[in-house]
Amino acid sequence: MAKSVCLALRKVAAGGRLVIGTIHQPSSDVFALFTHVMLMTQGRVIYMGPRTALAAYFERQGDPSLLCPPRHNPADFFVTLVALHPQDPVGSQKRIDNLVAIYQASPERVAMSDWQQDVAFPELLLYHRSFKMRHFQASSYTQFRLCFQRNVRALFRDPMSFGAALGSGFITGIILGLAYATAPNAPATAEHVRNTEGLFFLANLQVFLIILYATIMAFSAETKVFMRENQAGANRVGAYYLSKTFTGWAVEIAMPFVFALLVWALAGLQRSPEGFFIFAGVMILNALCFGSIGYCLAAMTSDPQIAMAIAPVLVLPNVVFSGIMYDLSLTYGFREFLAYISILRYAQAAMLINEFPPSSTRFTSEIPNQEAVLEGLNAFPLSTNLWALASAAVVFRIIAYLILLLRTTRERIVVR
């Protein structure tokens, strides 16, 4: 595996880029892939130059103890040579000091220091110097295509992540469907309506939590890598973000659809194709909304733990002002504003309107019409709720893009 990584880095270097890395106890084959080597100990340089000249450099010193034995891994030998040994701290320290002095007076040091002649010395003393690549080597389409291919490969190479989200939707869909199971198209009694409201609330909340946290974990893990790619001129924000959005739909659409199918089939909701597809569509829009919010949180920080710590701040207002925990007809002022931005409220209202349309024959003396079902929810028409969900998904997705774009303009590669 180490050799495969080093071979990939050699290809990058062959493309005209400078690759610097540290490696711990490489095999002789891996060590042979490096073109140049720097040996350091105690913060001081013992040797810096071509790897092929390393053995000859120590042979030139005329000390037999500095010669690498035949058929011996040179990496192991020279790392041991420059190490401070606890068994002989005085002797090994003396040897290190001598090797440092030899290198300081060697032509290799002079050759490696020639580049400094073209740089003003005060610039080398600057503690912070930063730069940002503004020239991208490939077109936006090429970057999008490669990012999309990479994301698709990642899905196939790590099926557990996709399977975990899909499996969670499958299991929770069965649990909710069986818990609220009833006869299809049951009469709209007060008890049935109350149970249906609870079912829709828990269904929306479940999709909310699964998609939100799955998005945060997946996107945060890649943010650091993307920032480095962007700063190196290898990846534009738009190309990366668009490809991530397209591949993210695999979870944001598949999981809520499977979940909605199971809940609809088991819980005895209205049996009509139109009713099912509206129900599933609301679940998918709900998932897209909270997937977009997850992107916003993940774009703010590369640490998923911080993003997940912020998430409950968004969860609570959505839950409280969904129309189940609080009578929205009584809201005013700041609470009215929170009710308008609650995504769960629009999803809840859309599902209830879809389940109990005005022309339904299921109404009873207890619940005589749709207005009685929606009492306290202060609901908008079905189309308005659907547009609100779709708009929220787009708006939060754009906000996440702007946050990521702002980070790329502010963060720099820092040279110390």
Side-chain angles (χ1 to χ4, degrees):
M1 188 176 293
K3 187 174 182 179
S4 298
V5 172
C6 289
L7 284 171
L9 294 177
R10 280 298 298 266
K11 291 180 181 179
V12 174
R17 294 185 179 273
L18 180 64
V19 179
I20 302 175
T22 60
I23 190 165
H24 178 66
Q25 288 185 317
S27 66
S28 56
D29 288 343
V30 172
F31 186 65
L33 295 175
F34 286 81
T35 58
H36 290 70
V37 174
M38 175 188 283
L39 290 176
M40 295 185 68
T41 183
Q42 300 176 341
R44 298 181 292 173
V45 178
I46 301 294
Y47 171 82
M48 182 177 177
R51 177 194 54 78
T52 54
L54 178 61
Y57 168 79
F58 285 102
E59 289 176 7
R60 201 175 69 223
Q61 310 310 321
D63 185 348
S65 64
L66 303 181
L67 301 180
C68 181
R71 295 184 295 276
H72 195 92
N73 185 350
D76 286 339
F77 174 78
F78 290 115
V79 167
T80 304
L81 182 68
V82 301
L84 183 65
H85 299 287
Q87 295 84 357
D88 185 19
V90 177
S92 57
Q93 183 66 57
K94 184 177 180 180
R95 183 182 66 254
I96 290 172
D97 294 339
N98 182 49
L99 292 174
V100 170
I102 291 174
Y103 177 73
Q104 292 297 318
S106 68
E108 282 78 6
R109 179 187 177 279
V110 176
M112 287 293 106
S113 302
D114 284 345
W115 64 273
Q116 296 181 9
Q117 306 304 318
D118 298 328
V119 183
F121 187 71
E123 291 187 37
L124 298 177
L125 299 179
L126 291 177
Y127 186 68
H128 287 90
R129 288 188 293 125
S130 63
F131 62 91
K132 183 176 185 292
M133 295 291 294
R134 298 185 181 276
H135 177 67
F136 293 91
Q137 301 295 328
S139 66
S140 296
Y141 169 75
T142 300
Q143 293 176 2
F144 166 77
R145 178 173 55 83
L146 294 176
C147 285
F148 183 79
Q149 291 174 352
R150 182 173 65 180
N151 291 336
V152 171
R153 287 196 204 100
L155 283 176
F156 283 101
R157 289 175 179 174
D158 185 22
M160 292 299 296
S161 297
F162 178 77
L166 204 61
S168 179
F170 183 84
I171 295 173
T172 54
I174 292 177
I175 293 174
L176 270 182
L178 293 176
Y180 286 88
T182 186
N185 300 318
T189 62
E191 180 183 2
H192 177 68
V193 170
R194 184 169 62 251
N195 288 341
T196 303
E197 289 176 342
L199 169 64
F200 290 162
F201 172 74
L202 291 176
N204 286 316
L205 184 62
Q206 181 66 17
V207 171
F208 172 6
L209 296 176
I210 292 177
I211 296 298
L212 181 67
Y213 288 111
T215 303
I216 289 175
M217 295 303 297
F219 194 49
S220 294
E222 295 183 5
T223 305
K224 290 182 180 179
V225 176
F226 164 71
M227 295 301 294
R228 291 182 179 273
E229 292 176 343
N230 178 263
Q231 292 164 347
N235 211 347
R236 289 179 174 87
V237 178
Y240 167 77
Y241 188 69
L242 196 60
S243 67
K244 191 64 182 174
T245 295
F246 285 170
T247 51
W249 285 347
V251 174
E252 295 170 11
I253 294 178
M255 177 266 164
F257 183 83
V258 171
F259 180 82
L261 179 62
L262 291 168
V263 171
W264 178 80
L266 297 174
L269 301 180
Q270 66 150 312
R271 290 296 188 261
S272 72
E274 180 185 2
F276 167 71
F277 284 111
I278 292 177
F279 175 69
V282 173
M283 297 295 291
I284 291 172
L285 286 175
N286 188 35
L288 292 173
C289 286
F290 289 107
S292 299
I293 293 176
Y295 280 123
C296 288
L297 295 175
M300 292 179 186
T301 174
S302 300
D303 188 344
Q305 300 300 324
I306 296 177
M308 292 179 71
I310 301 173
V313 178
L314 298 175
V315 174
L316 187 61
N318 271 283
V319 171
V320 172
F321 294 97
S322 63
I324 299 299
M325 304 294 182
Y326 192 87
D327 188 342
L328 298 183
S329 62
L330 303 177
T331 57
Y332 58 90
F334 182 64
R335 290 181 293 181
E336 185 176 10
F337 169 75
L338 291 177
Y340 275 111
I341 64 174
S342 173
I343 294 173
L344 290 180
R345 171 198 183 185
Y346 297 107
Q348 183 80 10
M351 287 183 175
L352 287 173
I353 293 172
N354 175 61
E355 181 67 18
F356 301 101
S359 59
S360 176
T361 60
R362 302 164 59 188
F363 294 119
T364 64
S365 57
E366 294 178 288
I367 307 293
N369 50 42
Q370 189 185 76
E371 287 72 21
V373 174
L374 302 176
E375 184 179 1
L377 192 57
N378 200 16
F380 297 102
L382 176 62
S383 60
T384 303
N385 291 307
L386 296 178
W387 276 110
L389 291 172
S391 300
V394 173
V395 169
F396 280 110
R397 195 76 54 148
I398 294 174
I399 292 175
Y401 168 76
L402 294 176
I403 293 173
L404 200 61
L405 186 65
L406 181 63
R407 283 189 62 188
T408 60
T409 57
R410 286 190 173 184
E411 295 191 17
R412 298 291 186 267
I413 297 176
V414 177
V415 181
R416 297 183 185 274

